[in-house]
Amino acid sequence: MAKRFTDAERAAALAALPAWRPVDGREAIGRTFTFKDFSAAFGFMARVALVAERIDHHPEWRNVYSRVEVVLATHDAGGLTGLDAELAAAMDRI
């Protein structure tokens, strides 16, 4: 199981992921990605799915047309872990 971040580790991870924000009421981070159209948004999700499967860590997400809303948390650790930071960074690169 992944180790839950300490407060300092969480702050450092968020500093390295400036487009991501804490989710109110949860120990989680979130971001909304906006694309040109549905096809581009779906393509993004397909590419992220390959990374998520490889690292065995899956996002909570919602797609409406050109927008993909993402929330990341490691449920079995009860908060944020390195897996969340890794997946967020991968999404930023994609």
Side-chain angles (χ1 to χ4, degrees):
M1 174 167 64
K3 180 187 157 288
R4 185 176 170 184
F5 279 157
T6 64
D7 291 342
E9 289 169 329
R10 185 172 40 260
L14 278 171
L17 299 164
W20 293 80
R21 299 286 177 254
V23 174
D24 289 338
R26 295 181 60 183
E27 188 177 324
I29 56 175
R31 178 172 177 192
T32 298
F33 294 86
T34 303
F35 299 92
K36 170 180 90 159
D37 55 25
F38 176 76
S39 181
F42 193 83
F44 167 78
M45 293 176 74
R47 290 187 298 278
V48 169
L50 296 174
V51 174
E53 281 294 300
R54 182 176 47 79
I55 67 172
D56 193 27
H57 189 62
H58 304 89
E60 297 174 31
W61 55 9
R62 179 174 182 260
N63 168 240
V64 177
Y65 185 63
S66 64
R67 195 175 66 248
V68 179
E69 299 167 4
V70 181
V71 172
L72 298 176
T74 304
H75 299 282
D76 55 348
L80 291 173
T81 70
L83 290 170
D84 301 302
E86 181 179 354
L87 189 54
M91 288 180 167
D92 287 348
R93 286 190 302 274
I94 292 169

